[in-house]
Amino acid sequence: MVDIKSLNMEELNEFILSLGEKKFRAKQIYEWMHVKLAGSFDEMSNISVALREKLKSECAYTKLEPVQVLTSAVDGTKKYLFQLSDGNVIESVLMRYHHGNSVCISTQAGCRMGCKFCASTLDGLERNLLPSEMLDEIYSIQRDIGERISNIVLMGSGEPLDNYDNVVKFLELISDENGLNISQRNITLSTCGLVPRIYELADRNMQITLAISLHASNDDTRKELMPVARSYSIEEILKACRYFFEKTGRRLTFEYSLVAGVNDNVEGAEALGSLLKGMNCHVNLIPVNPIKERDYKQSDKKAIERFKGKLEKYGMNVTVRREMGRDINGACGQLRKSYKETVGLAEGER
Ligand code: SAH
């Protein structure tokens, strides 16, 4: 079966021609999928029934089904739990800001990176998401709210650079001027630091923002929190980041989840300040969102302010991430995990 929503214009042209159809049909179908956000071939009213039937027999039409939608009473954040055609579930989050609607998408079902504080990785990786599935996280939400999505962050479950080819294809499709045309400048890709992939991404010269999950200012502490630190040192990551900036001119973001007593001391802030000094970057401090499977604690307000102040002394541009949707299992992978646990339980009882 052809995964039709993952095809770019060129590939779709070729496919439609191979069915013995005229090329302009490809443009119509592309528009149905990527602009009008059709939920099925049957919605494509200017395509003949015969061609629709042919498409149905040759193609899989990716359509995510929401199995649960939670809306935060605090800030209007919406969490969607979507079911994929093979029964896997993934989560996506809509955050409403003054500057527009932002969606946080998952790039994999599960994750194999093993970061200690993260709920997405507790059960390992189920599988990579297809470009069409990542697109449909956004399409489904835009359809649901009837408003344009203007910003995307690849910060849901999964490591985007561990699903490199599909993620790059997704980025091309979502920013395509013939599709939803979301500016690459409004897209942030967050990675735990798969160095060779950062170089590859830089060479593609995409105008996206790269966010690096650093979470420590020395390799030993980083290894405690993130197994991936055994493969790549902070120095190697920063070198790749400088290359990314040289190639793209895009300012980098460094994410730093503050865990009480682990990485939130003043010495750490000083070390981070001197590591990043002179780099065109922005530091985003994330008070760790505790998950029940681990006993990591959030740094208190004073520690956060002290950490921030130290970094600012080094001339850093620092923000503290506002917690959104705390009342609805806000942290990465928590909703999916709790859903899987309840469904698993129900099945076990039968
Ligand atoms: N795999 C990507 C995307 C992960 S999620 C990456 O590693 O960057 C986006 C960010 O949230 C990452 O910085 C991740 O380390 C962080 N994160 C995950 N779980 C968290 C938690 N419970 N509390 C705080 N930050 C968390």
Side-chain angles (χ1 to χ4, degrees):
M1 293 290 249
V2 176
D3 175 19
I4 191 165
K5 258 193 198 178
S6 290
L7 303 181
N8 62 27
M9 197 64 240
E10 205 178 313
E11 291 161 342
L12 187 64
N13 274 334
E14 232 171 82
F15 174 63
I16 294 299
L17 289 175
S18 80
L19 296 179
E21 295 289 334
K22 297 244 161 47
K23 201 169 151 182
F24 77 94
R25 292 284 175 215
K27 200 163 168 41
Q28 287 178 323
I29 294 167
Y30 193 88
E31 198 183 1
W32 274 112
M33 293 191 291
H34 302 291
V35 180
K36 298 181 185 159
L37 313 183
S40 69
F41 288 120
D42 285 326
E43 289 179 27
M44 304 183 179
S45 50
N46 59 358
I47 304 294
S48 70
V49 174
L51 177 53
R52 279 188 245 158
E53 290 305 319
K54 193 158 19 163
L55 291 170
K56 279 187 219 169
S57 67
E58 305 257 345
C59 308
Y61 194 88
T62 296
K63 175 78 182 70
L64 305 188
E65 296 302 336
V67 285
Q68 204 178 351
V69 183
L70 300 177
T71 305
S72 164
V74 185
D75 52 30
T77 296
K78 268 181 127 174
K79 268 219 151 182
Y80 295 79
L81 198 65
F82 289 116
Q83 184 151 46
L84 309 176
S85 59
D86 62 358
N88 266 306
V89 289
I90 54 164
E91 55 184 269
S92 324
V93 188
L94 165 73
M95 290 159 292
R96 293 161 177 269
Y97 296 104
H98 294 302
H99 63 263
N101 293 315
S102 184
V103 169
C104 173
I105 65 159
S106 294
T107 53
Q108 296 178 314
C111 182
R112 58 183 182 135
M113 295 297 129
C115 298
K116 291 288 169 25
F117 44 79
C118 180
S120 300
T121 197
L122 290 167
D123 296 333
L125 176 68
E126 301 267 3
R127 70 167 172 88
N128 284 329
L129 296 190
L130 300 166
S132 58
E133 291 168 328
M134 292 181 257
L135 287 171
D136 216 53
E137 293 181 61
I138 294 150
Y139 295 178
S140 299
I141 294 177
Q142 179 157 323
R143 274 170 65 113
D144 178 49
I145 63 168
E147 290 171 29
R148 184 173 164 77
I149 306 299
S150 52
N151 293 68
I152 301 169
V153 293
L154 282 68
M155 289 191 187
S157 295
E159 167 49 48
L161 298 187
D162 188 39
N163 183 14
Y164 183 82
D165 291 338
N166 288 345
V167 163
V168 165
K169 186 77 178 287
F170 157 76
L171 292 170
E172 283 171 356
L173 287 165
I174 197 72
S175 59
D176 180 13
E177 57 184 10
N178 296 310
L180 222 44
N181 195 12
I182 297 182
S183 162
Q184 289 187 356
R185 290 170 171 266
N186 293 349
I187 304 176
T188 299
L189 182 153
S190 175
T191 176
C192 62
L194 302 184
V195 167
R197 297 305 201 189
I198 295 175
Y199 284 103
E200 278 185 55
L201 199 62
D203 287 334
R204 290 190 157 264
N205 196 11
M206 283 190 172
Q207 286 298 295
I208 59 168
T209 298
L210 185 65
I212 305 287
S213 298
L214 209 53
H215 306 327
S217 50
N218 66 70
D219 287 320
D220 285 339
T221 311
R222 197 162 189 266
K223 280 178 203 165
E224 267 178 49
L225 294 170
M226 307 172 72
V228 68
R230 291 186 219 132
S231 307
Y232 306 107
S233 67
I234 292 177
E235 198 185 309
E236 287 172 298
I237 293 176
L238 295 184
K239 198 170 156 206
C241 288
R242 287 190 196 96
Y243 183 80
F244 187 87
F245 179 73
E246 274 167 32
K247 281 274 168 171
T248 63
R250 301 289 296 156
R251 183 177 82 154
L252 287 132
T253 295
F254 291 97
E255 295 162 281
Y256 197 105
S257 294
L258 286 162
V259 188
V262 177
N263 64 359
D264 64 344
N265 54 17
V266 179
E267 295 75 35
E270 283 175 348
L272 187 62
S274 45
L275 270 179
L276 302 182
K277 207 166 165 46
M279 263 179 110
N280 194 338
C281 69
H282 165 202
V283 178
N284 195 209
L285 299 175
I286 315 170
V288 81
N289 201 336
I291 55 173
K292 69 173 186 330
E293 291 80 359
R294 306 261 191 262
D295 60 1
Y296 289 125
K297 302 217 167 36
Q298 211 173 73
S299 308
D300 59 34
K301 276 217 168 66
K302 240 172 88 188
I304 296 172
E305 280 312 310
R306 211 170 35 214
F307 200 94
K308 179 168 183 265
K310 246 316 159 229
L311 283 176
E312 282 169 346
K313 285 225 172 75
Y314 281 80
M316 299 276 123
N317 180 316
V318 191
T319 48
V320 179
R321 183 173 301 171
R322 233 170 79 203
E323 281 185 273
M324 309 269 296
R326 182 79 191 263
D327 54 330
I328 50 167
N329 273 328
C332 307
Q334 277 187 1
L335 178 61
R336 171 174 184 267
K337 179 105 176 90
S338 62
Y339 179 82
K340 273 178 53 184
E341 278 163 7
T342 19
V343 172
L345 210 70
E347 278 168 0
E349 281 165 358
R350 252 180 253 141

